[in-house]
Amino acid sequence: MLKNKIAKDKFYFEKAFQENLPYKPLFVKLKLTWNCNLRCQMCNHWRERVSDMPVEFFQNIVSELAELGCKRIHLSGGEPLLYPQIFELIEHIRKKNIKLTMTTNGTLINEKIAQKIGDLQVSNINISLDSPLANIHNEVRGLKNAFRRTLRGIELLKKYHQAKLQINMVVNPLNYTSVSEIPDLAYNMGAHNICLIPVKIRTQEIQHFHLEELIEYNEKIAPFAYAKSLMYNLVKSQKQIYIFGETFSELQESCKGNYAQGYYDTHPCMALWTHALIDHEGRVSACCYTVNNPTIGDLKIHSFYEIWMSENYQKLRNQFKAPLEDCKGCTMFIHKNEKVLETLRK
């Protein structure tokens, strides 16, 4: 866990944080490919095909990250299982003794792939499942048999794999009414936890919530989802289910996409000291919520170390509070931030 790693190195992290200096890229997300086999309404990946970078390019990046103290790499996409040499890259990551996690839609997982994932000891796998109801999931994902194929993929993973399985659900106006049933499916499929993610508006197909929808969610859906999730031990806090806030003013902010509820108006984002995102072309951003907005550096031109230590990265760290407009909608790092700040206060 990020908190534990920082606790062991508290003096140096605190010094870097107080002086706005770089620390270590402890957790790096690698968007391995732009391409995807589904047609999700809230996503743009499927709208164009992009050539992949050679595996040697990513292997060199991984080797440098290992030297810089990276402890975890998360593979995503697009759909990472579309990357032709993904297992060659995974083998390289594991040889560097870096913890490996990944997010997949699960539809491409067959016996061979599931067994390979198990053999290579991928630590945690996140499965994207946007409703426990087949018709809603298929509508959101743009493929008639997506639901069946994803459940089959989960079954195969459980057969060959002992790692923790997380169900990711992007909650949007098309699927929010089915959230109360996602804990049942997650439990029955052997998942260890669920992660509800408020939708970021990127396309014309899906728009912001109306206030009455979020009121309905909090009054009629979230209470059942939370009770079931606690019973199945799928969440640890109420905030993991009440992702749009609980007060009327918080729901109003969520209707604008401001899911962080002003958190970054008064708190720094620790991701700027501990995290980076590398996209399918080697461009480096602060995180997936601000991908290429701005691009901090390009690994086809500079080393990761040069980018991590660069003036561009330093400008973001110096801005401290809500460094970008997109941060208003991000809840991904709030829990981690609180844990790190708690460690620094001790």
Side-chain angles (χ1 to χ4, degrees):
M1 292 177 62
L2 180 63
K3 172 187 173 183
N4 295 335
K5 291 179 175 64
I6 289 176
K8 294 177 181 178
D9 200 22
K10 180 180 176 181
F11 174 80
Y12 292 103
F13 178 81
E14 193 166 22
K15 178 178 174 63
F17 175 64
Q18 290 177 346
E19 298 180 13
N20 287 343
L21 299 173
Y23 181 60
K24 301 176 184 177
L26 296 175
F27 168 36
V28 175
K29 180 175 284 189
L30 179 54
K31 293 179 74 69
L32 194 54
T33 180
W34 177 265
N35 302 317
C36 188
N37 62 314
L38 299 185
R39 301 169 64 88
C40 301
Q41 294 197 39
M42 64 284 194
C43 185
N44 287 310
H45 280 279
W46 56 272
R47 299 171 199 269
E48 61 176 321
R49 301 291 292 184
V50 178
S51 298
D52 294 320
M53 297 295 288
V55 69
E56 293 80 10
F57 175 77
F58 291 121
Q59 287 174 327
N60 290 336
I61 293 171
V62 168
S63 295
E64 185 183 8
L65 289 173
E67 292 177 1
L68 295 175
C70 181
K71 300 300 182 184
R72 176 187 165 200
I73 290 177
H74 184 85
L75 299 182
S76 68
E79 170 49 51
L81 291 176
L82 282 176
Y83 187 74
Q85 296 166 293
I86 184 172
F87 293 116
E88 190 175 336
L89 179 61
I90 290 176
E91 287 177 359
H92 185 72
I93 294 171
R94 297 299 297 128
K95 286 179 182 177
K96 295 297 180 180
N97 200 30
I98 297 175
K99 180 179 179 180
L100 177 65
T101 58
M102 69 183 296
T103 295
T104 172
N105 62 45
T107 60
L108 299 177
I109 297 173
N110 54 30
E111 292 268 355
K112 183 178 178 180
I113 289 175
Q115 189 167 10
K116 191 70 174 176
I117 290 174
D119 291 343
L120 291 171
Q121 299 180 327
V122 179
S123 299
N124 296 64
I125 299 177
N126 302 337
I127 299 289
S128 301
L129 194 60
D130 285 332
S131 177
L133 304 179
N135 62 317
I136 296 179
H137 176 80
N138 292 342
E139 179 185 4
V140 173
R141 292 275 155 176
L143 187 68
K144 288 183 178 180
N145 62 351
F147 185 79
R148 177 182 58 81
R149 290 172 60 180
T150 296
L151 293 195
R152 175 59 176 162
I154 294 173
E155 290 172 352
L156 291 171
L157 284 176
K158 297 301 293 183
K159 179 179 178 180
Y160 292 103
H161 203 274
Q162 302 302 314
K164 289 185 177 180
L165 182 68
Q166 173 175 292
I167 301 298
N168 286 355
M169 180 178 181
V170 178
V171 185
N172 60 69
L174 294 178
N175 66 4
Y176 75 97
T177 57
S178 66
V179 167
S180 59
E181 297 178 56
I182 199 71
D184 299 311
L185 179 61
Y187 176 76
N188 291 331
M189 297 303 297
H192 291 78
N193 55 292
I194 59 174
C195 179
L196 302 183
I197 305 167
V199 64
K200 181 177 182 179
I201 306 303
R202 306 175 190 268
T203 69
Q204 292 296 318
E205 286 88 343
I206 291 186
Q207 295 299 308
H208 288 296
F209 280 96
H210 297 298
L211 182 59
E212 57 268 25
E213 292 174 326
L214 295 187
I215 291 174
E216 178 190 12
Y217 176 83
N218 273 17
E219 292 181 351
K220 299 181 180 180
I221 299 161
F224 294 101
Y226 182 53
K228 292 178 181 180
S229 297
L230 283 182
M231 180 174 63
Y232 298 140
N233 198 28
L234 296 170
V235 300
K236 294 182 179 179
S237 74
Q238 186 166 301
K239 289 183 178 180
Q240 291 175 267
I241 301 298
Y242 288 81
I243 57 175
F244 304 108
E246 297 184 57
T247 68
F248 186 78
S249 61
E250 288 174 342
L251 297 183
Q252 287 181 310
E253 286 300 304
S254 287
C255 288
K256 306 172 189 175
N258 298 334
Y259 307 121
Q261 309 295 344
Y263 178 87
Y264 292 111
D265 293 338
T266 55
H267 297 80
C269 181
M270 297 298 178
L272 295 169
W273 282 265
T274 61
H275 175 64
L277 178 137
I278 301 170
D279 80 355
H280 60 289
E281 293 183 333
R283 293 171 295 196
V284 178
S285 303
C287 67
C288 63
Y289 222 85
T290 62
V291 59
N292 298 326
N293 183 29
T295 296
I296 303 173
D298 190 334
L299 289 166
K300 296 189 296 296
I301 302 172
H302 300 287
S303 69
F304 186 89
Y305 177 80
E306 291 172 329
I307 295 171
W308 187 248
M309 304 294 291
S310 69
E311 182 179 347
N312 287 342
Y313 232 124
Q314 197 58 23
K315 284 180 180 178
L316 287 180
R317 296 186 185 107
N318 288 336
Q319 287 180 27
F320 236 65
K321 299 176 181 178
L324 297 169
E325 184 70 18
D326 284 339
C327 299
K328 293 180 179 180
C330 177
T331 59
M332 183 177 301
F333 289 99
I334 290 179
H335 178 70
K336 294 183 177 69
N337 279 354
E338 288 300 297
K339 292 296 183 181
V340 172
L341 290 171
E342 178 185 323
T343 299
L344 294 179
R345 287 192 289 266
K346 291 181 179 179

